[in-house]
Amino acid sequence: VLTLKNLSRYLLVLSLLTAVACAGGGGGTTTTTAAPAGSTLVVQGIAFGTAPTVRPGDTFTIDNQDSVAHTFTSSDDSWESVDLAANSKVQFTVPADLAPGRYVFFCRIHSGMGGALTVEG
Ligand SMILES: [Cu+2]
């Protein structure tokens, strides 16, 4: 039975699938593998994309595609909070002395906006 609730759920799933399909960036091929270290953390739609897996000392790009500012803030102060201006890219360097692990981050401006950065040894 196609109720309104089912329909909205279906549309949500559809839009998520579309978002995933478009995440490749317009190239002809789309892969489902994780981004390599040193790539980009995209911020779009008041949400962080999947953070790249990195090593201490790695630098990657944080690409804020939103027309509002965000922050890239460690939940346990593992790094100094980074301001992400609207429609701008910032180079972020993982602290060289950061121990391997999973680091939760969030945006100070938007509650519920966050993710996790995996640091390999
Ligand atoms: Cu934000």
Side-chain angles (χ1 to χ4, degrees):
V1 180
L2 187 64
T3 65
L4 194 59
K5 192 176 178 183
N6 283 342
L7 181 63
S8 61
R9 184 174 301 162
Y10 171 76
L11 290 174
L12 177 65
V13 169
L14 194 66
S15 63
L16 286 173
L17 287 173
T18 306
V20 168
C22 294
T29 56
T30 315
T31 62
T32 54
T33 52
S39 60
T40 300
L41 169 57
V42 174
V43 186
Q44 192 181 45
I46 322 291
F48 288 104
T50 303
T53 296
V54 296
R55 292 174 183 275
D58 275 358
T59 297
F60 64 90
T61 302
I62 304 175
D63 182 4
N64 180 13
Q65 300 178 357
D66 281 340
S67 56
V68 295
H70 298 293
T71 72
F72 179 67
T73 306
S74 167
S75 65
D76 62 357
D77 289 326
S78 291
W79 58 81
E80 207 170 313
S81 182
V82 178
D83 290 330
L84 309 172
N87 299 303
S88 71
K89 294 180 182 180
V90 172
Q91 296 291 309
F92 174 74
T93 300
V94 181
D97 59 354
L98 206 58
R102 185 174 175 273
Y103 293 87
V104 173
F105 58 82
F106 66 99
C107 170
R108 281 176 167 164
I109 300 168
H110 304 101
S111 62
M113 181 181 167
L117 180 69
T118 299
V119 178
E120 291 182 335

PDB file of all heavy atoms in Angstrom, residues 43 46-48 66 68-71 84 106-111 113, ligand 1:
ATOM      1  N   VAL A  43      31.694  19.278   2.511  1.00  0.00           N
ATOM      2  CA  VAL A  43      30.623  19.732   3.386  1.00  0.00           C
ATOM      3  C   VAL A  43      29.530  20.298   2.494  1.00  0.00           C
ATOM      4  O   VAL A  43      29.772  21.204   1.690  1.00  0.00           O
ATOM      5  CB  VAL A  43      31.110  20.820   4.359  1.00  0.00           C
ATOM      6  CG1 VAL A  43      30.014  21.172   5.348  1.00  0.00           C
ATOM      7  CG2 VAL A  43      32.364  20.359   5.083  1.00  0.00           C
ATOM      8  N   ILE A  46      24.515  21.302   4.974  1.00  0.00           N
ATOM      9  CA  ILE A  46      24.649  21.330   6.439  1.00  0.00           C
ATOM     10  C   ILE A  46      24.998  19.934   6.945  1.00  0.00           C
ATOM     11  O   ILE A  46      24.421  19.430   7.915  1.00  0.00           O
ATOM     12  CB  ILE A  46      23.372  21.863   7.144  1.00  0.00           C
ATOM     13  CG1 ILE A  46      22.759  23.004   6.358  1.00  0.00           C
ATOM     14  CG2 ILE A  46      23.680  22.297   8.569  1.00  0.00           C
ATOM     15  CD1 ILE A  46      23.565  24.288   6.343  1.00  0.00           C
ATOM     16  N   ALA A  47      25.924  19.278   6.258  1.00  0.00           N
ATOM     17  CA  ALA A  47      26.355  17.939   6.672  1.00  0.00           C
ATOM     18  C   ALA A  47      27.769  17.679   6.162  1.00  0.00           C
ATOM     19  O   ALA A  47      28.142  18.134   5.075  1.00  0.00           O
ATOM     20  CB  ALA A  47      25.411  16.884   6.110  1.00  0.00           C
ATOM     21  N   PHE A  48      28.514  16.946   6.967  1.00  0.00           N
ATOM     22  CA  PHE A  48      29.827  16.503   6.527  1.00  0.00           C
ATOM     23  C   PHE A  48      29.663  15.249   5.673  1.00  0.00           C
ATOM     24  O   PHE A  48      28.877  14.363   5.999  1.00  0.00           O
ATOM     25  CB  PHE A  48      30.713  16.144   7.734  1.00  0.00           C
ATOM     26  CG  PHE A  48      31.181  17.336   8.522  1.00  0.00           C
ATOM     27  CD1 PHE A  48      30.605  17.646   9.733  1.00  0.00           C
ATOM     28  CD2 PHE A  48      32.217  18.134   8.060  1.00  0.00           C
ATOM     29  CE1 PHE A  48      31.041  18.738  10.480  1.00  0.00           C
ATOM     30  CE2 PHE A  48      32.660  19.227   8.788  1.00  0.00           C
ATOM     31  CZ  PHE A  48      32.072  19.528  10.000  1.00  0.00           C
ATOM     32  N   ASP A  66      28.667  24.793   1.078  1.00  0.00           N
ATOM     33  CA  ASP A  66      27.468  25.471   1.558  1.00  0.00           C
ATOM     34  C   ASP A  66      27.660  26.986   1.518  1.00  0.00           C
ATOM     35  O   ASP A  66      28.791  27.480   1.559  1.00  0.00           O
ATOM     36  CB  ASP A  66      27.158  25.045   2.998  1.00  0.00           C
ATOM     37  CG  ASP A  66      26.479  23.693   3.069  1.00  0.00           C
ATOM     38  OD1 ASP A  66      25.920  23.260   2.043  1.00  0.00           O
ATOM     39  OD2 ASP A  66      26.511  23.087   4.144  1.00  0.00           O
ATOM     40  N   VAL A  68      26.818  28.822   3.836  1.00  0.00           N
ATOM     41  CA  VAL A  68      26.930  29.248   5.233  1.00  0.00           C
ATOM     42  C   VAL A  68      28.238  28.702   5.801  1.00  0.00           C
ATOM     43  O   VAL A  68      28.790  27.728   5.289  1.00  0.00           O
ATOM     44  CB  VAL A  68      25.744  28.736   6.095  1.00  0.00           C
ATOM     45  CG1 VAL A  68      24.435  29.354   5.628  1.00  0.00           C
ATOM     46  CG2 VAL A  68      25.657  27.225   6.058  1.00  0.00           C
ATOM     47  N   ALA A  69      28.719  29.351   6.843  1.00  0.00           N
ATOM     48  CA  ALA A  69      29.965  28.936   7.475  1.00  0.00           C
ATOM     49  C   ALA A  69      29.749  27.735   8.379  1.00  0.00           C
ATOM     50  O   ALA A  69      28.647  27.507   8.899  1.00  0.00           O
ATOM     51  CB  ALA A  69      30.549  30.089   8.282  1.00  0.00           C
ATOM     52  N   HIS A  70      30.792  26.932   8.555  1.00  0.00           N
ATOM     53  CA  HIS A  70      30.794  25.809   9.476  1.00  0.00           C
ATOM     54  C   HIS A  70      32.117  25.822  10.242  1.00  0.00           C
ATOM     55  O   HIS A  70      32.999  26.626   9.962  1.00  0.00           O
ATOM     56  CB  HIS A  70      30.682  24.472   8.714  1.00  0.00           C
ATOM     57  CG  HIS A  70      29.420  24.320   7.929  1.00  0.00           C
ATOM     58  ND1 HIS A  70      28.191  24.204   8.514  1.00  0.00           N
ATOM     59  CD2 HIS A  70      29.207  24.253   6.596  1.00  0.00           C
ATOM     60  CE1 HIS A  70      27.266  24.068   7.565  1.00  0.00           C
ATOM     61  NE2 HIS A  70      27.853  24.098   6.396  1.00  0.00           N
ATOM     62  N   THR A  71      32.239  24.896  11.183  1.00  0.00           N
ATOM     63  CA  THR A  71      33.541  24.673  11.813  1.00  0.00           C
ATOM     64  C   THR A  71      33.838  23.177  11.779  1.00  0.00           C
ATOM     65  O   THR A  71      32.926  22.342  11.724  1.00  0.00           O
ATOM     66  CB  THR A  71      33.590  25.148  13.280  1.00  0.00           C
ATOM     67  OG1 THR A  71      32.823  24.249  14.104  1.00  0.00           O
ATOM     68  CG2 THR A  71      33.071  26.574  13.431  1.00  0.00           C
ATOM     69  N   LEU A  84      35.349  27.153   8.729  1.00  0.00           N
ATOM     70  CA  LEU A  84      35.106  26.868   7.315  1.00  0.00           C
ATOM     71  C   LEU A  84      34.176  27.948   6.774  1.00  0.00           C
ATOM     72  O   LEU A  84      32.961  27.903   6.994  1.00  0.00           O
ATOM     73  CB  LEU A  84      34.469  25.483   7.149  1.00  0.00           C
ATOM     74  CG  LEU A  84      35.170  24.317   7.858  1.00  0.00           C
ATOM     75  CD1 LEU A  84      34.314  23.057   7.759  1.00  0.00           C
ATOM     76  CD2 LEU A  84      36.542  24.062   7.249  1.00  0.00           C
ATOM     77  N   PHE A 106      32.675  17.779  15.025  1.00  0.00           N
ATOM     78  CA  PHE A 106      31.349  18.368  14.879  1.00  0.00           C
ATOM     79  C   PHE A 106      31.491  19.803  14.409  1.00  0.00           C
ATOM     80  O   PHE A 106      32.603  20.333  14.290  1.00  0.00           O
ATOM     81  CB  PHE A 106      30.577  18.306  16.212  1.00  0.00           C
ATOM     82  CG  PHE A 106      31.172  19.153  17.307  1.00  0.00           C
ATOM     83  CD1 PHE A 106      30.644  20.413  17.599  1.00  0.00           C
ATOM     84  CD2 PHE A 106      32.261  18.711  18.029  1.00  0.00           C
ATOM     85  CE1 PHE A 106      31.187  21.195  18.611  1.00  0.00           C
ATOM     86  CE2 PHE A 106      32.822  19.493  19.045  1.00  0.00           C
ATOM     87  CZ  PHE A 106      32.283  20.731  19.328  1.00  0.00           C
ATOM     88  N   CYS A 107      30.346  20.418  14.121  1.00  0.00           N
ATOM     89  CA  CYS A 107      30.302  21.838  13.761  1.00  0.00           C
ATOM     90  C   CYS A 107      29.733  22.599  14.946  1.00  0.00           C
ATOM     91  O   CYS A 107      28.680  22.230  15.470  1.00  0.00           O
ATOM     92  CB  CYS A 107      29.431  22.037  12.524  1.00  0.00           C
ATOM     93  SG  CYS A 107      29.066  23.766  12.159  1.00  0.00           S
ATOM     94  N   ARG A 108      30.433  23.653  15.346  1.00  0.00           N
ATOM     95  CA  ARG A 108      29.982  24.433  16.500  1.00  0.00           C
ATOM     96  C   ARG A 108      28.707  25.218  16.201  1.00  0.00           C
ATOM     97  O   ARG A 108      28.001  25.635  17.110  1.00  0.00           O
ATOM     98  CB  ARG A 108      31.073  25.431  16.904  1.00  0.00           C
ATOM     99  CG  ARG A 108      32.194  24.811  17.696  1.00  0.00           C
ATOM    100  CD  ARG A 108      33.258  25.852  17.964  1.00  0.00           C
ATOM    101  NE  ARG A 108      34.203  25.375  18.966  1.00  0.00           N
ATOM    102  CZ  ARG A 108      35.382  25.925  19.178  1.00  0.00           C
ATOM    103  NH1 ARG A 108      35.772  26.963  18.473  1.00  0.00           N
ATOM    104  NH2 ARG A 108      36.186  25.435  20.096  1.00  0.00           N
ATOM    105  N   ILE A 109      28.455  25.442  14.921  1.00  0.00           N
ATOM    106  CA  ILE A 109      27.341  26.308  14.542  1.00  0.00           C
ATOM    107  C   ILE A 109      26.040  25.512  14.404  1.00  0.00           C
ATOM    108  O   ILE A 109      24.972  25.989  14.757  1.00  0.00           O
ATOM    109  CB  ILE A 109      27.669  27.042  13.225  1.00  0.00           C
ATOM    110  CG1 ILE A 109      28.932  27.888  13.420  1.00  0.00           C
ATOM    111  CG2 ILE A 109      26.492  27.914  12.769  1.00  0.00           C
ATOM    112  CD1 ILE A 109      29.525  28.427  12.127  1.00  0.00           C
ATOM    113  N   HIS A 110      26.144  24.281  13.913  1.00  0.00           N
ATOM    114  CA  HIS A 110      24.945  23.487  13.650  1.00  0.00           C
ATOM    115  C   HIS A 110      24.951  22.226  14.502  1.00  0.00           C
ATOM    116  O   HIS A 110      25.738  21.305  14.248  1.00  0.00           O
ATOM    117  CB  HIS A 110      24.863  23.123  12.167  1.00  0.00           C
ATOM    118  CG  HIS A 110      24.898  24.320  11.256  1.00  0.00           C
ATOM    119  ND1 HIS A 110      26.015  24.717  10.580  1.00  0.00           N
ATOM    120  CD2 HIS A 110      23.921  25.213  10.953  1.00  0.00           C
ATOM    121  CE1 HIS A 110      25.739  25.817   9.869  1.00  0.00           C
ATOM    122  NE2 HIS A 110      24.475  26.124  10.088  1.00  0.00           N
ATOM    123  N   SER A 111      24.069  22.168  15.472  1.00  0.00           N
ATOM    124  CA  SER A 111      24.007  20.981  16.306  1.00  0.00           C
ATOM    125  C   SER A 111      23.544  19.797  15.457  1.00  0.00           C
ATOM    126  O   SER A 111      22.709  19.942  14.572  1.00  0.00           O
ATOM    127  CB  SER A 111      23.035  21.201  17.467  1.00  0.00           C
ATOM    128  OG  SER A 111      21.747  21.428  16.970  1.00  0.00           O
ATOM    129  N   MET A 113      25.479  18.237  13.439  1.00  0.00           N
ATOM    130  CA  MET A 113      26.328  18.142  12.252  1.00  0.00           C
ATOM    131  C   MET A 113      27.696  17.639  12.694  1.00  0.00           C
ATOM    132  O   MET A 113      28.410  18.334  13.417  1.00  0.00           O
ATOM    133  CB  MET A 113      26.442  19.527  11.603  1.00  0.00           C
ATOM    134  CG  MET A 113      27.270  19.562  10.342  1.00  0.00           C
ATOM    135  SD  MET A 113      27.339  21.237   9.693  1.00  0.00           S
ATOM    136  CE  MET A 113      28.662  21.015   8.511  1.00  0.00           C
TER     137      MET A 113
HETATM  138 CU    CU B   1      27.810  23.877  10.418  1.00  0.00          CU
END
